[in-house]
Amino acid sequence: MGGIYLERLADMGFAKEYEFLTEIGIEPRNSGSFVNGAWKGSGSVVSSVNPANNKTIAEVVEASSQDYEEGIQACYEASKIWMQLPAPKRGEIVRQIGDALRAKLQYLGRLLSLEMGKILPEGIGEVQEVIDMCDFAVGLSRQLNGSVIPSERPNHMMLEMWNPLGVVGVITAFNFPCAVLGWNACIALVCGNTVVWKGAPTTPLITIAMTKLVAEVLEKNNLPAAIFTSFCGGAEIGQAIAKDTRIPLVSFTGSSKVGLMVQQTVSQRFGKCLLELSGNNALIVMDDADIQLAVRSVLFAAVGTAGQRCTTCRRLLVHEKIYDSVVDKLLEAYKQVKVGDPLENGTLLGPLHTKASRENFEKGIKVIKSQGGKILTGGSVIESEGNFVQPTIVEISPNADVVKEELFGPVLYVLKFKDFQEAVEINNSVPQGLSSSIFTRSHELIFKWIGPRGSDCGIVNVNIPTNGAEIGGAFGGEKGTGGGREAGSDSWKQYMRRSTCTINYGSELPLAQGISFGS
């Protein structure tokens, strides 16, 4: 049925503002499954919608269960070839993928902004993040080092070997539709794994465009196309990945609720999970802080990406001595936020991603008011064709139940505290544990903050926003955020299996711990 629908669209072209999409392989009609080198699609027909006006950009035929099975089997078979290629050679392929992305950076960034709704500088920046991950992974391909361990037995050698897992499944979310792929796929590929990617259902075009560029690199190097397999689809495809014993590792980005279900499914088959889930991030402003620096940071952290980053600042904790001053300066800064088309110069706040997101914002504001929250600015939907809402600041008690939840939008809770210890307790009081930051000039407080009795988050910053993490560090959080670590540092170890190898190069058989067994 999907094929018939697409045939009816065969003669349709793009509106002028969308013509650039042809430069990255997007058409008014698109098949949404890249299966063993061929584009297919026999599932439902969906529309990619521009959140700035809720009008269709292009159509996509999603993957069916049959498409999935054909694709994952080809990906599994391709892993047997890819894992035998030397790691530096795999790194060279990833280097070429980075160059392919560089050549299309502006087009891809524009598509990302168009389809997701984040402002153009953020869209381009996200694609640049994938390019940066490619560069990081190229260097890593020559540093997948194991240890040589002293043996207690004579004429014995102990060492660690790191080998590929096989296939890595990557399930990404709408808010970073390609950056999270980069965190996972670049590392997984140089580690010798093939990749099966399910992009977010509401951002299928960026999934297709990214896949086409990777596919061109694989084809140019005469490598199996199934090394990188991708599907546009919904929960059915995600569930299939979670259940599939051919996929030893599944990376999932999304809500804590769905992430828990994915983890339980993968664990039932003794697979491994990398979870990047909800955040409820706090930024603390001490009474000795650089207030201007703090206000600028809060503005970016709370308003950027329309509050739809997992690292968005959702709770602003301000010392009671400077509370009024900070809030006044922040309210003044919010007046300068231009809301509008994310592709227009000067826009700082684009639309929420979907109509449902806008409805959740409205429901959230009602709950906030019912729990004693005072709206200091914003708090309303902006009447338009798109999913625009006002950037919102709320004064509320840290004990309100709604503060413990993640409202995915530009809503900032402002909370007052008396001293450092109370601020840390408020920071750590929520179920999530992704990102946190403190603004202070005190060396003592800085080291307490990053120490064992400080922030319980995976990202613990000082004098910078909660968001905008660099790729060189491991990204992830604790508690309800899932515990996964992706991107930099030694995150690569999660994409490989470690073997401890003991080699006897002598003619005797001494046993460990001095055990004597027989003659």
Side-chain angles (χ1 to χ4, degrees):
M1 181 171 177
I4 296 172
Y5 182 87
L6 291 181
E7 287 173 11
R8 293 208 313 265
L9 296 175
D11 297 325
M12 291 180 63
F14 279 122
K16 188 173 182 179
E17 65 267 30
Y18 298 158
E19 287 178 353
F20 76 94
L21 295 174
T22 60
E23 298 289 338
I24 43 178
I26 301 299
E27 302 172 356
R29 53 175 187 151
N30 303 273
S31 296
S33 307
F34 187 63
V35 173
N36 201 17
W39 284 97
K40 298 184 175 183
S42 53
S44 302
V45 178
V46 297
S47 296
S48 171
V49 175
N50 178 355
N53 57 23
N54 284 308
K55 294 180 179 177
T56 296
I57 304 168
E59 308 282 350
V60 174
V61 181
E62 292 184 322
S64 65
S65 297
Q66 182 180 348
D67 295 329
Y68 171 79
E69 179 54 37
E70 184 181 348
I72 188 58
Q73 185 59 34
C75 191
Y76 177 74
E77 295 300 329
S79 71
K80 300 172 185 177
I81 298 170
W82 179 246
M83 67 173 56
Q84 296 183 72
L85 205 66
K89 298 293 185 184
R90 300 192 296 256
E92 166 58 18
I93 301 304
V94 173
R95 185 195 67 78
Q96 292 180 32
I97 292 171
D99 284 348
L101 294 172
R102 279 187 183 89
K104 302 291 185 179
L105 172 60
Q106 297 296 321
Y107 293 127
L108 289 168
R110 193 170 185 84
L111 167 59
L112 203 154
S113 296
L114 175 69
E115 188 174 40
M116 185 273 156
K118 63 180 62 177
I119 63 174
L120 185 57
E122 289 186 304
I124 294 170
E126 180 173 344
V127 180
Q128 182 62 50
E129 189 167 351
V130 184
I131 295 169
D132 294 344
M133 279 303 307
C134 288
D135 291 346
F136 179 87
V138 173
L140 179 64
S141 70
R142 294 181 182 271
Q143 299 176 41
L144 301 172
N145 305 324
S147 300
V148 176
I149 305 163
S151 173
E152 67 184 65
R153 291 172 280 187
N155 299 322
H156 282 58
M157 170 77 73
M158 290 178 65
L159 55 88
E160 288 181 343
M161 284 291 294
W162 292 89
N163 286 302
L165 293 172
V167 182
V168 170
V170 183
I171 303 173
T172 56
F174 75 86
N175 58 337
F176 281 89
C178 69
V180 177
L181 171 74
W183 297 349
N184 287 276
C186 297
I187 305 299
L189 287 170
V190 297
C191 287
N193 306 293
T194 53
V195 172
V196 56
W197 176 29
K198 190 196 87 70
T202 51
T203 55
L205 301 185
I206 195 68
T207 302
I208 293 169
M210 292 286 290
T211 301
K212 288 192 172 184
L213 288 174
V214 175
E216 287 174 7
V217 171
L218 294 173
E219 182 179 11
K220 185 173 67 174
N221 288 274
N222 297 311
L223 289 165
I227 288 169
F228 191 88
T229 299
S230 71
F231 301 106
C232 299
E236 181 183 65
I237 301 300
Q239 290 166 0
I241 290 173
K243 293 176 181 177
D244 203 318
T245 57
R246 290 165 293 189
I247 305 175
L249 174 65
V250 176
S251 167
F252 173 83
T253 300
S255 69
S256 294
K257 179 181 178 182
V258 177
L260 183 59
M261 291 189 290
V262 170
Q263 183 183 50
Q264 290 170 342
T265 301
V266 175
S267 296
Q268 283 175 355
R269 59 176 177 85
F270 296 102
K272 296 197 297 181
C273 261
L274 277 176
L275 300 176
E276 297 292 351
L277 310 177
S278 302
N280 192 348
N281 315 295
L283 188 151
I284 297 170
V285 185
M286 297 302 300
D287 56 342
D288 68 337
D290 181 332
I291 293 178
Q292 198 57 42
L293 183 66
V295 168
R296 287 174 55 203
S297 297
V298 172
L299 184 66
F300 173 58
V303 175
T305 323
Q308 296 170 113
R309 290 183 181 228
C310 49
T311 53
T312 289
C313 178
R314 309 206 179 278
R315 296 177 295 146
L316 174 61
L317 283 53
V318 185
H319 195 286
E320 60 183 10
K321 290 182 180 178
I322 58 169
Y323 181 86
D324 291 339
S325 176
V326 170
V327 170
D328 288 346
K329 286 180 170 58
L330 191 59
L331 288 170
E332 195 62 33
Y334 264 55
K335 291 177 183 177
Q336 301 167 30
V337 174
K338 178 185 175 184
V339 182
D341 188 331
L343 296 175
E344 288 184 3
N345 290 335
T347 298
L348 291 182
L349 181 66
L352 294 177
H353 184 53
T354 62
K355 288 182 178 179
S357 301
R358 185 179 61 185
E359 291 168 3
N360 287 337
F361 172 88
E362 289 184 288
K363 292 176 185 176
I365 294 298
K366 290 179 181 178
V367 173
I368 287 166
K369 291 178 178 178
S370 72
Q371 295 185 13
K374 178 183 177 184
I375 307 297
L376 301 183
T377 187
S380 299
V381 166
I382 298 173
E383 293 303 324
S384 69
E385 293 180 319
N387 307 320
F388 296 97
V389 300
Q390 295 173 339
T392 301
I393 300 176
V394 177
E395 193 172 58
I396 196 168
S397 165
N399 298 318
D401 289 341
V402 71
V403 175
K404 305 289 193 290
E405 302 167 2
E406 182 186 42
L407 178 57
F408 223 53
V411 177
L412 177 68
Y413 301 122
V414 185
L415 316 169
K416 190 182 297 186
F417 68 88
K418 294 180 180 180
D419 55 32
F420 173 77
Q421 189 57 44
E422 183 185 11
V424 172
E425 290 173 359
I426 295 172
N427 177 79
N428 297 348
S429 67
V430 296
Q432 309 85 355
L434 179 52
S435 186
S436 57
S437 187
I438 191 170
F439 281 72
T440 180
R441 293 183 173 95
S442 167
H443 293 165
E444 178 185 359
L445 294 184
I446 288 171
F447 285 99
K448 284 185 176 180
W449 171 244
I450 67 175
R453 298 293 300 276
S455 172
D456 64 359
C457 296
I459 298 171
V460 184
N461 292 335
V462 177
N463 295 329
I464 66 168
T466 54
N467 57 349
E470 299 179 33
I471 61 134
F475 183 95
E478 302 298 326
K479 301 189 298 188
T481 303
R485 292 298 187 276
E486 297 171 344
S489 187
D490 64 349
S491 298
W492 65 270
K493 293 180 178 179
Q494 297 168 104
Y495 301 85
M496 305 193 83
R497 57 179 178 85
R498 172 167 43 188
S499 304
T500 301
C501 309
T502 305
I503 301 168
N504 180 357
Y505 56 89
S507 56
E508 301 295 325
L509 191 63
L511 301 179
Q513 292 85 47
I515 294 173
S516 178
F517 192 83
S519 57

